[in-house]
Amino acid sequence: MKLSYQWLCEYVDVRDISPEALADKLTSAGLEVEAVTPRNQGVRGVVVGQVLTCEPHPNADRLKVCTVDAGVGEALTIVCGAPNVRAGQKVPTALPGATLPGGRSIGKVKLRGVESNGMLCSAQEIGLEVKLLPKEQTEGLFLLPDDAPVGADVVTLLHLDDVVLEIGLTPNRSDCLSMRGLAYEVGALYDRPVRFPSPAEPAASGASPVRVTLETERCPRYDAQVITGLTPKPSPLWMQMRLLAMGVRPINLMVDVTNYVMLEWGQPLHAFDFGQVRGGHIVVRQARPGERLVTLDGQERELKEDTIVIADPERAIGIAGVMGGENSEVSAATRQVVIESAAFDAASVRRTGQRLGLRSEAQQRFEKGIDPVAIRAALLRAAELLCELGGGRREGGVVSVVRGQPSQPHTVAFSPARCNRLLGTDISAETMRGVFRRLGFTVEESSPDLWRIEVPTRRPDITLEADLAEEVARLVGYEAIPSTLPFGATTAGVRTPSQRLRKRTREVLTGMGMTEVFTYALTHPGSLDALRVGPDAPYRQMISLRMPMSEERSVLRTHLLPSLAQVAQYNLARDVAGGRVFEIARVYLPARLPLDEQPSERTQWAGLWFGVTEADVWNRPRAYDFYDAKGVVEGWLGAFGWLDQAEFRPASAPWLHPGRSAEVWLDGERIGSFGELHPETAAAFELDVAVYAEFDLDLLVPRLSDRWLVTPLPRHPASRRDLAVVVGRDVPADALLAAAREAAREGGENLLEDIRVFDVYTGSGVPEGMKSVAIRLTCRAQDRTLTDDEVDALVGRVLAAWTARFAAVLRG
Amino acid sequence: MDVKELETAVLQVQREAEDALGQVQDARALDEWRVRYLGKKSALSQVMRQMGTLPAEERPRAGEVVNRCRERLQAAWEAARTALSERLLAERLASERIDVTLPGRRQERGALHPSVRVIQEVEDIFLGMGFSIAEGPEVETDEYNFEKLNLPQDHPARDMQDTFYLTDTLLLRTHTSPMQVRTMERMRPQAPVKVIVPGRVYRRDEDDATHSHAFNQIEGLVVDEGIRMSDLKGVLEQFARAMFGPEQAVRLRPSFFPFTEPSAEVDVLCINCGGAGCRVCKETGWIEILGAGMVHPHVLDGAGYDSRRFNGFAFGMGVERIAMLKYGIEDIRHLYQNDLRLLRQFARPV
């Protein structure tokens, strides 16, 4: 909402307060002023001049030589290039020494041999709001009305000395969508009287030629007045300037008056050409199925039954509260209008506007709620202005049709003590009384601590005691609220297991060199194509937005790989040689589509290793591989105490390389998988080798352990044996270890403390298709030092198991 | 042979030995010297063996001469050995010198995402004040995202947040505030309720330098008997001091949210200039970091806390905005582009 400082001063005298100070005050009261803009962008020394003569320039085809009476003694000779310059016109005239917006200064100059003593100005040259002016006012000179006094300063004449405050209104303050509401607000803030005149009720006149019928409950009230004898003409300069200051386009007197009164009273009005209202009968009803209307903007609109229309007995002539129809538009031929001032159902207007993609000034006011008191007043005011300025006369009186109860000021119970308790303040009853008086609310004190506050209809946002408490705090100033701490029971703040799991995962992964990324959950429906998952795979069940902003962000992801692959692409394209990144995020898995309930949102961590190690020149870069990822996965599992139980099995995920990927199982549950990307997946993401891991954190929450317990240190030494066995190339190392552990357990007392692979060798000395695996066994008993015989027996059992299962041969 | 001759022989040996010792360069030569001059077959030992040929009265004196010489040579050997080992050590140290300015075998740490850093920091501050952390669904119902927050269908305040709808009744939450209601419904009738809610939220906004269709919010909610707006101010002041520094102050300005009444925008002293006025705070000295207010009676009653008995306050802050202010990030998109050259800067402080 824009606020003209000069216009405001007409209702409440704040001339002693600068626009900037007023802006600060409004902002601190919750009406945030976003900009304070003087209308004068640098005009000085520009006056009204009348063109006396206008002759062709002797040396230039496109220039004219004019003599201009600018009220400075003798007429000035001014060379002018504007195509529309004519003798007799009154135009803004920059005298020598004048300045114009942009710091431009005007002096005496010779133009093609003729001396020019100033400049005749266009709208743009004097900084008017050219975007809001009709084309004919912006092409060439800005023509002033004939009654503009010669020599008068245009700054005053065109209200350029006004300042406009741009207010970012919150949706509750519908009252401040008008000068009237803003005047009351400013009056309350400064405790100054507000003079806002109500238009006089004209003496009773004959019957009105218009008949109004309300056929819908969504129009509780409709007032209409017919004005006749109008001639089409522009509105007076002062009105145009006020409209411009408030950001409204001046059009012609009839339209401008409706807009002006809307700005004044907050009540939207509409003028219909009464000659086009068939039968002189206005019907307010719901639209009929399939009904169409061409609106004022020339668009043909299909109306829904939900829409309220203004109609005559034959056809719709306007969409209520949103936009009028072209068929009843006020035109140059219009001599008689009917002005509408009505109330329409806010929700219905809002839905209609949204559906049609319209957002008119009128619609915004209806949506947020209008003041019923203003309906008749605004209509009387518009009629008054049309009669006064347009030479019209009222034909009959105001026709007013009301459906249901007219709204009344409402009362709200208020306790000063409760107000102070809510705010944590100690504001006196006297001060609170003053606040309500300033706001124009009436206070009835039933008892010292039970007041009844009568709220005027212009403030529909005040319905509860809490609303009144906010008014008190707002007018006293929020800075009066002290700082305290809640005095209730003490509570302990702890993270849930799920939060601890994620936090520790982040710590562990970053500790191992992984960098966390944050990617969008909304993605492209084709993002899964690279993953080689079938058309029926559950991953394809992606929830889509109804109205996406782009296809790129139109569905909720079911998989994290496409997002991480995009991170890799982005970085590789920017001279980053590689990286290891992870994200902890949700995937959105609907039970079925179309969606009929909230989906399951599962939290995963996913990692991607791509390109080469982030090396300085020293540590030679190398491509990340499977074992980089496995090392991190093992480190992560180890950090939670899960590594010993974890089983790594070959994976079958279609996006992973079948021979270079593994699933991780814990106690018979698959918790995740990792591996090199399938070459086709990698190629589709335009990546060379990359390794991807994903784990379901929700599955792991119940397994989170926060127990830390030591086992006593061994008191007897361990015996170590290193064995190298030759087995087939496809025998997994893990199978050898598992077989050894099993063989060790079979001996009754388990003496095998630890077993691990320390080398794998293929090449000379090892037969083709075989590999040599070097394994270290650590043996220990808790109660004695093991003898060589005991260790030999264990090793013998292990070797026997290997030989039996894998045809392993001990290497010499 | 008499004593005189013996003495001459000993001195001869001694001179020879001392000359030889001067020539010794390494451990092996030193060892050879020891064998030769102090060993069992040394010249001195041979002289000792000849002592038997001397008259008995001369033997003490002869013994004294020989012993003195032996002690002298022994001491010389020890001194030489020490000197030699010192020299060898010095040579070894010199030869083992490396260029300590070359880089080490670095174990690079990774980095948390800046938005996550902010969330964790905020969480830790409120955990310390006795808040728990709740989390909720991103796919929300219209009922929880709007209606139970005093935003009925067709309410103009719904325009404040353009919404991604999935169906008539399901949407991507536009704020973390639905968790106010979900938390109260889960907790009732217990009091106090003290919770913060971090999470992703979505708005139908075009992505630009200051807007993102997806971002993170942190909601806060306290409900109890006797909660005052001054408590809101006090708690946020503590938060601001812990988050932005001990000199911080907060300022409340009236505002409007459908689910709080009274409502406030909350400013802190500009993180960049400390309140003096700069480009970041548009010369005002203050920057807005969150919206807040007293929980609206309709919201309390709807969630099962009788508004005649209970009060509460709620607040919500944008994580990215704080991250941008705190870390000097000028464009919100930088937080989602995941440029590793930027993210890796969060592996270590400046």
Side-chain angles (χ1 to χ4, degrees):
Chain A
M1 179 70 185
K2 290 191 156 114
L3 170 61
S4 154
Y5 176 79
Q6 283 187 351
W7 195 356
L8 175 75
C9 285
E10 214 171 84
Y11 307 125
V12 50
D13 190 351
V14 286
R15 281 173 300 180
D16 56 325
I17 294 158
S18 72
E20 289 73 21
L22 176 65
D24 286 347
K25 186 80 169 178
L26 286 168
T27 297
S28 70
L31 279 74
E32 192 176 351
V33 176
E34 290 162 350
V36 178
T37 317
R39 276 194 80 214
N40 188 347
Q41 298 293 304
V43 175
R44 194 167 51 80
V46 182
V47 300
V48 178
Q50 182 157 32
V51 182
L52 301 174
T53 62
C54 178
E55 303 296 336
H57 191 289
N59 307 322
D61 292 345
R62 296 200 177 159
L63 296 179
K64 302 263 171 48
V65 180
C66 306
T67 52
V68 179
D69 176 8
V72 289
E74 65 193 66
L76 301 168
T77 303
I78 296 176
V79 177
C80 177
N84 66 337
V85 61
R86 304 278 182 277
Q89 286 167 342
K90 288 189 176 169
V91 293
T93 306
L95 301 173
T99 59
L100 296 179
R104 190 171 167 194
S105 53
I106 304 301
K108 291 186 185 182
V109 286
K110 268 203 170 161
L111 287 168
R112 297 269 183 121
V114 177
E115 190 176 70
S116 181
N117 297 292
M119 188 175 102
L120 307 183
C121 302
S122 69
Q124 175 144 26
E125 281 160 339
I126 54 172
L128 288 178
E129 295 83 347
V130 287
K131 278 189 214 143
L132 297 174
L133 288 170
K135 213 172 160 197
E136 64 270 17
Q137 295 259 55
T138 58
E139 288 174 345
L141 300 178
F142 182 71
L143 304 182
L144 297 168
D146 293 342
D147 59 358
V150 167
D153 190 338
V154 301
V155 168
T156 324
L157 184 76
L158 299 179
H159 302 203
L160 291 180
D161 47 353
D162 197 1
V163 177
V164 178
L165 279 64
E166 175 84 50
I167 304 173
L169 279 182
T170 53
N172 57 326
R173 292 306 299 270
S174 56
D175 60 310
C176 290
L177 287 167
S178 66
M179 289 306 300
R180 173 173 172 250
L182 287 166
Y184 280 118
E185 176 73 12
V186 171
L189 294 179
Y190 288 103
D191 195 8
R192 292 190 182 186
V194 178
R195 297 173 308 272
F196 194 85
S198 282
E201 286 277 347
S205 47
S208 173
V210 69
R211 190 153 73 87
V212 176
T213 310
L214 303 188
E215 290 183 355
T216 174
E217 287 162 14
R218 291 182 182 165
C219 176
R221 174 165 179 173
Y222 195 101
D223 287 11
Q225 168 78 58
V226 177
I227 309 281
T228 200
L230 292 162
T231 44
K233 61 173 181 176
S235 56
L237 195 60
W238 61 264
M239 184 177 281
Q240 292 191 35
M241 290 304 131
R242 281 192 174 171
L243 291 175
L244 284 181
M246 302 287 281
V248 175
R249 191 181 295 276
I251 295 167
N252 58 43
L253 179 68
M254 293 177 231
V255 174
D256 290 359
V257 163
T258 59
N259 283 331
Y260 183 82
V261 175
M262 176 181 72
L263 294 174
E264 203 176 52
W265 282 85
Q267 168 65 33
L269 303 175
H270 186 70
F272 296 96
D273 183 335
F274 190 56
Q276 301 303 320
V277 179
R278 296 180 184 164
H281 185 185
I282 286 176
V283 181
V284 186
R285 58 168 169 82
Q286 298 301 129
R288 303 201 169 108
E291 191 163 10
R292 285 166 176 277
L293 176 69
V294 178
T295 44
L296 284 178
D297 53 3
Q299 302 266 334
E300 181 170 42
R301 313 267 180 185
E302 187 176 337
L303 308 175
K304 290 264 156 68
E305 287 162 75
D306 182 46
T307 300
I308 314 167
V309 293
I310 313 300
D312 60 27
E314 294 169 32
R315 61 199 178 144
I317 56 171
I319 302 173
V322 178
M323 197 177 268
E326 206 175 57
N327 54 16
S328 57
E329 186 181 3
V330 170
S331 71
T334 304
R335 298 289 176 272
Q336 192 182 30
V337 296
V338 57
I339 310 283
E340 156 199 296
S341 184
F344 300 111
D345 176 63
S348 172
V349 168
R350 178 180 151 87
R351 279 195 301 272
T352 299
Q354 270 182 344
R355 200 161 45 71
L356 299 178
L358 292 171
R359 191 111 179 78
S360 68
E361 292 274 333
Q363 180 193 336
Q364 292 180 44
R365 286 171 174 81
F366 281 119
E367 275 180 22
K368 289 172 184 158
I370 52 161
D371 179 1
V373 164
I375 294 175
R376 188 179 180 87
L379 184 58
L380 293 173
R381 172 73 171 144
E384 184 180 280
L385 285 169
L386 283 175
C387 294
E388 193 181 305
L389 305 171
R393 63 190 153 71
R394 295 180 180 82
E395 196 169 343
V398 171
V399 174
S400 182
V401 184
V402 178
R403 219 183 142 107
Q405 285 294 315
S407 41
Q408 297 292 329
H410 52 288
T411 54
V412 180
F414 179 80
S415 148
R418 267 205 306 267
C419 177
N420 272 325
R421 277 204 296 278
L422 180 68
L423 300 175
T425 49
D426 193 18
I427 299 167
S428 72
E430 187 51 42
T431 304
M432 294 191 195
R433 232 176 258 129
V435 164
F436 296 133
R437 177 188 52 75
R438 285 155 63 186
L439 287 165
F441 300 180
T442 316
V443 181
E444 182 202 317
E445 300 187 21
S446 314
S447 76
D449 201 40
L450 181 62
W451 298 1
R452 300 191 66 77
I453 313 292
E454 191 185 282
V455 181
T457 52
R458 62 184 158 81
R459 292 296 306 271
D461 57 314
I462 308 287
T463 59
L464 301 172
E465 188 172 59
D467 300 325
L468 291 169
E470 182 176 80
E471 293 301 292
V472 169
R474 210 166 63 81
L475 263 71
V476 172
Y478 273 20
E479 62 278 6
I481 298 169
S483 286
T484 59
L485 289 176
F487 50 66
T490 310
T491 49
V494 286
R495 286 191 164 88
T496 63
S498 159
Q499 288 156 1
R500 289 204 298 279
L501 172 58
R502 276 173 281 149
K503 182 159 190 278
R504 260 164 62 193
T505 295
R506 287 193 164 97
E507 285 161 5
V508 168
L509 295 179
T510 54
M512 291 189 291
M514 305 282 288
T515 292
E516 188 177 24
V517 299
F518 202 100
T519 62
Y520 294 129
L522 285 172
T523 184
H524 192 282
S527 62
L528 290 175
D529 294 346
L531 269 57
R532 307 174 69 255
V533 296
D536 301 325
Y539 295 111
R540 296 280 186 185
Q541 298 268 303
M542 296 202 278
I543 301 165
S544 43
L545 298 181
R546 269 191 169 173
M547 285 170 57
M549 318 234 330
S550 68
E551 200 181 13
E552 193 61 30
R553 311 255 168 258
S554 60
V555 295
L556 281 168
R557 65 183 165 192
T558 54
H559 205 288
L560 297 178
L561 171 56
S563 308
L564 293 187
Q566 208 175 14
V567 170
Q569 280 172 9
Y570 183 92
N571 280 284
L572 291 170
R574 276 162 187 77
D575 211 23
V576 174
R580 32 192 172 155
V581 298
F582 76 99
E583 178 165 20
I584 295 181
R586 298 182 190 183
V587 292
Y588 309 82
L589 310 172
R592 69 197 78 77
L593 288 180
L595 193 65
D596 55 358
E597 59 178 16
Q598 286 171 282
S600 145
E601 298 180 17
R602 296 202 72 88
T603 302
Q604 301 186 338
W605 85 256
L608 189 72
W609 293 253
F610 63 92
V612 295
T613 53
E614 53 252 73
D616 37 53
V617 185
W618 189 250
N619 297 309
R620 202 166 300 147
R622 58 173 183 79
Y624 284 112
D625 66 20
F626 176 87
Y627 295 105
D628 287 307
K630 184 164 182 186
V632 169
V633 167
E634 287 175 323
W636 170 69
L637 289 167
F640 291 92
W642 298 325
L643 183 57
D644 290 346
Q645 305 100 278
E647 263 184 87
F648 294 83
R649 301 183 191 166
S652 57
W655 57 88
L656 296 179
H657 186 307
R660 295 186 169 187
S661 60
E663 289 179 346
V664 182
W665 290 70
L666 272 186
D667 302 332
E669 190 169 44
R670 202 181 70 95
I671 59 164
S673 62
F674 66 97
E676 231 174 66
L677 289 186
H678 192 283
E680 287 174 12
T681 299
F685 287 130
E686 294 166 27
L687 297 173
D688 292 335
V689 177
V691 188
Y692 174 70
E694 65 176 34
F695 288 87
D696 186 318
L697 291 177
D698 292 338
L699 278 179
L700 291 163
V701 172
R703 297 176 188 273
L704 182 70
S705 168
D706 276 313
R707 280 181 73 227
W708 305 81
L709 195 64
V710 295
T711 42
L713 295 178
R715 273 179 291 175
H716 300 278
S719 298
R720 294 198 174 80
R721 293 290 171 89
D722 291 346
L723 306 172
V725 286
V726 175
V727 292
R729 252 190 66 176
D730 290 338
V731 174
D734 226 21
L736 290 171
L737 303 188
R741 285 195 199 98
E742 196 181 315
R745 279 196 297 272
E746 277 161 10
E749 182 189 11
N750 189 354
L751 299 176
L752 184 61
E753 185 181 77
D754 186 55
I755 179 166
R756 59 186 67 203
V757 176
F758 67 90
D759 192 29
V760 175
Y761 172 76
T762 54
S764 95
V766 176
E768 188 64 31
M770 309 291 277
K771 64 182 172 186
S772 165
V773 183
I775 295 173
R776 168 166 289 181
L777 290 77
T778 304
C779 313
R780 194 196 304 267
Q782 289 309 311
D783 57 348
R784 66 190 186 282
T785 302
L786 290 177
T787 64
D788 280 353
D789 287 347
E790 285 176 298
V791 178
D792 288 346
L794 172 62
V795 168
R797 276 205 312 280
V798 168
L799 280 172
W802 286 347
T803 308
R805 275 214 225 151
F806 309 109
V809 177
L810 186 64
R811 235 175 134 216
Chain B
M1 197 166 113
D2 61 9
V3 172
K4 272 250 177 327
E5 283 168 3
L6 184 137
E7 209 170 334
T8 311
V10 166
L11 285 175
Q12 173 70 33
V13 168
Q14 183 178 309
R15 244 189 328 272
E16 189 190 312
E18 284 176 352
D19 286 350
L21 190 60
Q23 305 300 311
V24 166
Q25 291 295 328
D26 56 28
R28 198 172 130 200
L30 184 65
D31 211 42
E32 282 170 9
W33 184 92
R34 188 182 56 79
V35 171
R36 188 149 168 212
Y37 295 105
L38 292 170
K40 289 190 177 114
K41 290 178 185 167
S42 64
L44 212 54
S45 298
Q46 283 169 24
V47 172
M48 285 285 277
R49 256 174 255 130
Q50 288 172 14
M51 281 214 315
T53 64
L54 289 177
E57 67 278 6
E58 289 182 342
R59 282 180 200 165
R61 183 175 147 85
E64 199 183 320
V65 167
V66 171
N67 277 338
R68 207 185 304 130
C69 175
R70 176 181 287 279
E71 277 163 21
R72 187 169 159 141
L73 289 182
Q74 181 75 31
W77 174 76
E78 275 166 18
R81 191 183 62 170
T82 306
L84 180 65
S85 76
E86 278 172 4
R87 204 188 78 225
L88 287 176
L89 182 63
E91 278 171 12
R92 178 178 154 196
L93 292 178
S95 72
E96 286 174 355
R97 183 185 299 274
I98 57 169
D99 182 353
V100 297
T101 65
L102 291 174
R105 283 184 201 96
R106 264 179 222 166
Q107 301 297 311
E108 283 286 355
R109 262 185 69 88
L112 289 178
H113 189 275
S115 299
V116 173
R117 282 189 78 86
V118 168
I119 293 171
Q120 287 194 352
E121 210 177 325
V122 173
E123 283 177 354
D124 288 338
I125 292 167
F126 282 102
L127 284 168
M129 289 196 269
F131 286 64
S132 342
I133 306 170
E135 288 160 296
E138 291 167 32
V139 175
E140 256 299 358
T141 61
D142 190 277
E143 186 185 9
Y144 279 91
N145 194 74
F146 290 126
E147 278 166 46
K148 291 190 173 210
L149 290 167
N150 201 28
L151 266 152
Q153 278 288 342
D154 299 313
H155 192 284
R158 285 201 182 193
D159 289 348
M160 291 165 90
Q161 304 171 356
D162 251 339
T163 309
F164 283 121
Y165 276 93
L166 307 172
T167 69
D168 281 343
T169 54
L170 293 172
L171 46 80
L172 293 180
R173 65 177 173 193
T174 58
H175 47 190
T176 40
S177 308
M179 280 303 288
Q180 287 186 26
V181 180
R182 290 191 181 275
T183 304
M184 282 191 270
E185 287 180 349
R186 179 171 55 82
M187 295 278 292
R188 70 184 170 204
Q190 298 166 66
V193 177
K194 278 172 90 175
V195 71
I196 59 163
V197 187
R200 293 189 189 224
V201 302
Y202 302 84
R203 302 267 171 97
R204 220 170 163 284
D205 267 336
E206 292 285 351
D207 294 338
D208 64 22
T210 53
H211 295 84
S212 174
H213 74 273
F215 57 100
N216 288 279
Q217 251 188 2
I218 300 175
E219 192 83 7
L221 174 73
V222 172
V223 175
D224 201 355
E225 291 181 53
I227 295 291
R228 303 155 291 181
M229 196 157 175
S230 55
D231 297 334
L232 165 67
K233 192 172 182 182
V235 164
L236 291 179
E237 211 158 71
Q238 295 233 330
F239 162 72
R241 291 193 180 132
M243 190 81 190
F244 304 117
E247 306 304 320
Q248 265 295 343
V250 306
R251 180 177 80 168
L252 305 187
R253 281 182 291 115
S255 188
F256 169 74
F257 304 103
F259 36 94
T260 50
E261 189 72 32
S263 301
E265 301 278 7
V266 182
D267 301 336
V268 296
L269 285 175
C270 178
I271 297 165
N272 191 47
C273 65
C278 68
R279 194 176 53 84
V280 173
C281 59
K282 297 189 185 113
E283 307 300 330
T284 63
W286 297 91
I287 41 173
E288 182 189 322
I289 58 154
L290 50 84
M294 301 304 289
V295 182
H296 197 286
H298 292 170
V299 176
L300 281 173
D301 290 328
Y305 284 86
D306 185 346
S307 65
R308 287 167 302 182
R309 194 175 141 207
F310 291 97
N311 284 122
F313 65 75
F315 56 86
M317 64 186 105
V319 170
E320 283 75 2
R321 174 159 171 77
I322 293 176
M324 288 166 76
L325 287 167
K326 217 173 145 92
Y327 306 134
I329 297 170
E330 304 221 316
D331 188 323
I332 193 170
R333 286 168 293 196
H334 292 165
L335 290 167
Y336 300 99
Q337 273 157 350
N338 299 302
D339 192 318
L340 289 173
R341 295 168 301 176
L342 183 133
L343 294 181
R344 281 186 193 142
Q345 297 180 33
F346 289 91
R348 65 199 80 85
V350 287

